Amino acid sequence: MADGKRYLVTGGAGYVGSHAVLALADRGDRVTVLDDLSLGHAAAIPSGVELIRGTLADTGLIERVLSEGSWEGVLHFASLSLVGDSMLRPMHYFMENSSLGFRLIDACIRHGVRRFVLSSTAALFGRPGQQVITEDAPVEPGSPYGESKAMLERALAWADRVHGLRSACLRYFNAAGADPQGRAGEDHTPETHLIPLVIDAALGRRAGLSINGDDYDTPDGTCIRDYVHVSDLATAHLRALEQLGDRSVTYNLGSGHGHSVLEVIRSVERVSGRQVPYSIGPRRAGDPPKLVALSERLRRETGWEPRFERLDDIVATAFAWREAHPDGYGDR
């Protein structure tokens, strides 16, 4: 039953954030999105949802927004998220992700916000010892991006300990797919995610793919990664919110098995009925053969169950959206 409560979603015009906004709005909650639209899209926000165009660096704006009535919670998606870029500009990532995140957390504490959900990352784990990652894996980020999220997780732990701000940190690898009703999808500039790149190759919108190595210790020699449907991720954020009564929580969020690069290509070929041109290139430095996260704790504690577990089902929603939106949201 919808509770009609108010939520602030930072980065709510972005890929994962916009799907979380849809999930909140679909259940009848009142949602305000704060986004500077540098990476997000106004067209991704459904009607009836307030958009405030601005940045977390604008402390006056944050103060004004949080002072306007009571907020049931804040869902924080706004961040830079490219691992390779963070290796080139580490201080920029610490300032944009960590420092601005600290400001938001502090403002939430001062304005009496009691629940905070962080869109975290499995990049916290760098090169983990185990190939299937649980919440107990050591946090040893292999990039400034991962480190910037780890810093936010630590800040939230102290915010709970000192001020009672309950938080949920959700760590996931690869969001994939699109809203099954076609209301939102994936539109990045530049696009770096595998599934939309493979779809674009199938549709002839880009040259063939270059696979980074086919001699890894995996069944077909290509790297295995985790993919979770973006709408299932959104639902997981809502389920995590429900746990924030008397404690904070941390959840890894993954499929538990993952798919190889070649498996993704074959899936796109099955869904689209088109051949995907590709070639085999050299390995990319630092790529582990397999990275997969478990979500057993989330399932056990919240009852979360993904609707889209089959790779073909995930790809089908991504293909439908991308085929219908050849220019994405058309605002670049």
Side-chain angles (χ1 to χ4, degrees):
M1 182 176 179
D3 60 15
K5 295 176 180 176
R6 296 178 72 213
Y7 293 94
L8 176 65
V9 182
T10 70
Y15 177 41
V16 181
S18 64
H19 286 78
V21 169
L22 285 171
L24 287 165
D26 284 348
R27 73 176 193 180
D29 291 317
R30 291 177 292 157
V31 185
T32 295
V33 169
L34 176 66
D35 200 302
D36 66 3
L37 301 184
S38 61
L39 300 173
H41 309 271
I45 299 172
S47 61
V49 170
E50 179 186 19
L51 168 63
I52 299 174
R53 184 167 184 175
T55 171
L56 294 174
D58 187 343
T59 55
L61 175 62
I62 303 304
E63 291 296 315
R64 178 177 64 79
V65 171
L66 289 177
S67 66
E68 293 178 348
S70 61
W71 297 92
E72 183 66 18
V74 170
L75 290 81
H76 181 41
F77 294 92
S79 73
L80 302 175
S81 61
L82 299 180
V83 170
D85 184 44
S86 77
M87 297 295 285
L88 299 174
R89 302 190 295 163
M91 296 305 111
H92 186 57
Y93 272 68
F94 293 140
M95 289 186 288
E96 289 290 317
N97 291 356
S98 305
S99 295
L100 296 185
F102 295 157
R103 290 184 184 183
L104 177 63
I105 294 167
D106 181 58
C108 287
I109 293 168
R110 287 185 286 102
H111 288 279
V113 177
R114 306 306 300 169
R115 299 195 291 174
F116 191 104
V117 178
L118 173 66
S119 174
S120 191
T121 175
L124 294 173
F125 303 112
R127 294 176 62 87
Q130 70 254 49
Q131 291 186 335
V132 180
I133 305 168
T134 68
E135 288 84 357
D136 299 323
V139 173
E140 297 175 352
S143 68
Y145 166 60
E147 187 71 54
S148 72
K149 293 286 190 173
M151 293 166 73
L152 285 179
E153 288 202 10
R154 290 301 304 154
L156 286 169
W158 280 105
D160 183 355
R161 181 172 174 178
V162 176
H163 298 288
L165 175 63
R166 306 303 187 210
S167 62
C169 299
L170 273 66
R171 304 159 168 176
Y172 44 90
F173 282 112
N174 299 303
D179 172 57
Q181 298 180 44
R183 296 172 295 177
E186 191 164 9
D187 181 8
H188 299 120
T189 304
E191 186 57 71
T192 61
H193 293 174
L194 178 63
I195 288 177
L197 290 176
V198 176
I199 290 172
D200 281 354
L203 292 171
R205 295 175 182 166
R206 59 172 290 115
L209 297 172
S210 177
I211 296 176
N212 297 311
D214 66 346
D215 58 351
Y216 288 92
D217 184 18
T218 62
D220 64 22
T222 63
C223 289
I224 293 174
R225 294 293 182 264
D226 219 337
Y227 299 93
V228 179
H229 194 280
V230 65
S231 296
D232 287 330
L233 284 179
T235 302
H237 285 75
L238 271 58
R239 290 296 183 93
L241 264 172
E242 298 167 0
Q243 302 301 304
L244 304 182
D246 57 1
R247 64 178 183 136
S248 292
V249 296
T250 297
Y251 296 123
N252 286 4
L253 188 50
S255 67
H257 47 80
H259 298 281
S260 73
V261 176
L262 285 178
E263 285 176 330
V264 170
I265 290 174
R266 302 305 176 221
S267 177
V268 171
E269 290 181 333
R270 286 192 299 271
V271 167
S272 68
R274 300 164 181 253
Q275 189 170 8
V276 175
Y278 70 89
S279 60
I280 305 298
R283 286 191 181 195
R284 185 169 55 188
D287 269 350
K290 180 178 180 180
L291 287 175
V292 175
L294 289 176
S295 55
E296 294 310 308
R297 180 187 292 179
L298 176 71
R299 292 172 185 253
R300 183 178 64 253
E301 294 186 0
T302 74
W304 175 80
E305 290 291 341
R307 290 174 56 201
F308 302 91
E309 291 199 89
R310 294 178 61 248
L311 179 62
D312 281 11
D313 293 337
I314 295 172
V315 167
T317 63
F319 183 83
W321 195 87
R322 210 153 181 88
E323 186 176 40
H325 300 82
D327 299 316
Y329 288 103
D331 55 0
R332 296 299 188 207

